[in-house]
């Protein structure tokens, strides 16, 4: 019975370090408002299938991630060449830490009952789209390591779509 609130969203390119930032004009990296009617799917594609969703507690980050998952599921159902969206919570990564790829395969098995070999193959073939919630649920002493793990995964699996969700203050503190 609750009412959904439309969020004020904006691109904040300064939140993510870019390899070209020394060359590209800094003026191009300023926060810009996003039109309210813009879907999460449009934002995802505009960001080259890689998003960082940041916000204060309770503003709707997880709901935005779920909205995106719904749109991506519909897309994958209509086009079998599209990757399979999978929501995973980073809180479980912090218990084990290490390489993100290994954790993803283990989570697919634990949460979705996907056989390890199949999960590994999907990951290697870029057939998954990872929607990672709960960055703020990683213990603060492991958050830097978490960012490094995500960045290393991105370097090794650049074609895999990736979304990370978390509280802005936790992310900025690291």
């Amino acid at each position: 019975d609750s009412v959904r609130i439309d969020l004020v969203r904006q691109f904040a390119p300064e939140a993510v370090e870019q390899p070209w930032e020394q060359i590209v004009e800094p003026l191009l990296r300023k926060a810009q408002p996003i039109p309210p009617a813009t879907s999460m799917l449009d934002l995802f594609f505009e960001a080259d299938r890689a998003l960082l969703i940041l916000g204060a507690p309770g503003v709707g980050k997880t709901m935005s991630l779920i909205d995106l998952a719904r749109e991506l599921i519909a897309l994958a159902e209509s086009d079998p060449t599209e990757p399979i969206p999978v929501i995973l919570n980073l809180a479980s990564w912090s218990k084990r830490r290490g390489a993100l790829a290994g954790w993803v395969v283990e989570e697919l098995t634990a949460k979705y009952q996907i056989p390890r070999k199949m999960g590994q193959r999907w990951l290697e073939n870029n057939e998954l789209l990872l929607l990672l919630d709960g960055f703020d649920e990683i213990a603060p002493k492991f958050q830097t390591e978490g960012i490094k793990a995500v960045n290393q995964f991105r370097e090794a699996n650049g074609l895999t779509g990736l979304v990370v969700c978390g509280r802005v203050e936790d992310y900025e503190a690291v």
Side-chain angles (χ1 to χ4, degrees):
D1 295 329
S2 61
V3 175
R4 193 122 184 230
I5 299 170
D6 287 328
L7 302 175
V8 175
R9 302 177 295 180
Q10 68 179 23
F11 276 112
E14 71 280 359
V16 179
E17 198 173 291
Q18 299 291 335
W20 287 92
E21 67 187 4
Q22 301 301 322
I23 298 168
V24 177
E25 288 288 325
L27 295 175
L28 298 176
R29 294 185 40 84
K30 289 186 177 177
Q32 302 170 4
I34 298 169
T38 307
S39 73
M40 286 303 297
L41 188 63
D42 289 339
L43 293 175
F44 179 68
F45 285 126
E46 190 172 326
D48 293 325
R49 294 179 174 250
L51 275 179
L52 176 62
I53 301 174
L54 298 174
V59 299
K61 300 175 297 297
T62 298
M63 288 307 300
S64 294
L65 190 70
I66 291 169
D67 287 345
L68 177 59
R70 285 185 182 125
E71 292 178 286
L72 290 166
I73 289 167
L75 186 61
E77 287 176 338
S78 67
D79 182 354
T81 64
E82 286 293 324
I84 303 162
V86 179
I87 297 176
L88 301 172
N89 193 301
L90 285 165
S92 67
W93 173 87
S94 67
K95 294 175 185 165
R96 156 169 189 236
R97 296 186 307 286
L100 202 67
W103 169 78
V104 167
V105 172
E106 291 300 317
E107 286 295 288
L108 289 172
T109 301
K111 303 293 189 296
Y112 294 99
Q113 292 77 48
I114 303 297
R116 282 180 180 78
K117 287 182 183 180
M118 182 180 288
Q120 186 68 42
R121 187 175 66 244
W122 285 351
L123 196 58
E124 289 170 359
N125 294 332
N126 296 310
E127 295 178 45
L128 295 175
L129 203 156
L130 303 179
L131 306 172
L132 308 179
D133 198 11
F135 173 77
D136 47 278
E137 294 176 38
I138 296 174
K141 65 182 178 180
F142 300 127
Q143 287 180 344
T144 299
E145 188 180 341
I147 290 173
K148 286 179 183 175
V150 169
N151 288 339
Q152 288 168 349
F153 177 85
R154 189 79 177 138
E155 287 173 16
N157 304 71
L159 296 178
T160 300
L162 182 68
V163 179
V164 177
C165 238
R167 293 182 180 168
V168 67
E169 59 273 0
D170 291 319
Y171 181 79
E172 287 177 346
V174 178

